[in-house]
Amino acid sequence: GMPNKFPFGNFPLDVVEIDHTKLDVVLVDETHRREIGRPYITVAIDVYSRMVAGFYVSLEAPSFFNTGQCILNAILPKERFLTKLDVNGEWPVYGIFRCIHLDNAKEFRGVDVQRFCSEYGIEINWRPVARPEFGGHIERLLGTAAKEIHTLPGSTFSNINQRGKYDSEKHAALTISELEKWLAEYFVNVYHKTVHSSLGMTPEEKYIEGIFGIGDAPGTGLPAIPVDSLKLRVSLLPSVMRSIQH
């Protein structure tokens, strides 16, 4: 790649970037299917391959909790997660990353995320301000996903003109778990398998190439599976829970 384009992300799990955005879709509760609001999504992206390493959907505004749950999803193998969501497909990303790339937002600046990273030997890189080539990956990925989300029932659309007479609240039809299933399906079976313009191949091909090597260039080999997933879960909980999650 271009050496000045992105200063790292030279192999799989070298740098994982995390970001949040509010999704343009209205969710309903599982029981009465009454409208409960628009969700936030926290996404972790492997910068080298542009693979989604993990994600977390919540009705709560971004916080360390969301970030921690997204990191957990990124590090753990995904088979059980996909089975639970009833999504068929491979999602080969798992393992501890070398460096995590976060923006300066206060929810990332807490002691919790720093404590976790030092415990697991993960370097933290705070995104420099006003450098648009940083942090573009998530926006591009979610830009695509957001367009796709407009095909879902309950879409709020991006602007009111587009919405016209369509009442998104009346059409709100997805629960949080249905949205999770839709997103996992989209990431695994659409996004990972679509040629990425700046890679010249699909994120999945790029990731697998980085793991197994190509030609004379050796790959990194498969990452170690985290042994103690309970310890991992506990270390990713905030030390003080201030609010009750939805």
Side-chain angles (χ1 to χ4, degrees), residues 17-20 101-109 125-128:
E17 182 181 308
I18 296 201
D19 219 339
H20 308 287
H101 200 71
L102 304 163
D103 78 10
N104 278 303
K106 66 181 185 312
E107 68 268 9
F108 289 143
R109 276 288 187 191
N125 206 295
W126 303 107
R127 193 177 296 158

Side-chain angles (χ1 to χ4, degrees), residues 29-75:
D29 72 272
E30 311 271 347
T31 327
H32 306 291
R33 299 194 87 91
R34 281 200 201 104
E35 188 222 328
I36 48 176
R38 282 169 58 196
Y40 290 87
I41 181 175
T42 302
V43 183
I45 281 198
D46 172 50
V47 170
Y48 167 83
S49 65
R50 311 296 203 272
M51 288 282 273
V52 174
F55 74 95
Y56 181 70
V57 176
S58 172
L59 286 156
E60 300 295 330
S63 66
F64 173 73
F65 184 82
N66 305 26
T67 308
Q69 294 307 297
C70 178
I71 291 173
L72 185 65
N73 186 237
I75 292 174

Side-chain angles (χ1 to χ4, degrees), residues 6-20:
F6 204 87
F8 24 60
N10 302 317
F11 50 87
L13 304 183
D14 181 15
V15 181
V16 167
E17 182 181 308
I18 296 201
D19 219 339
H20 308 287

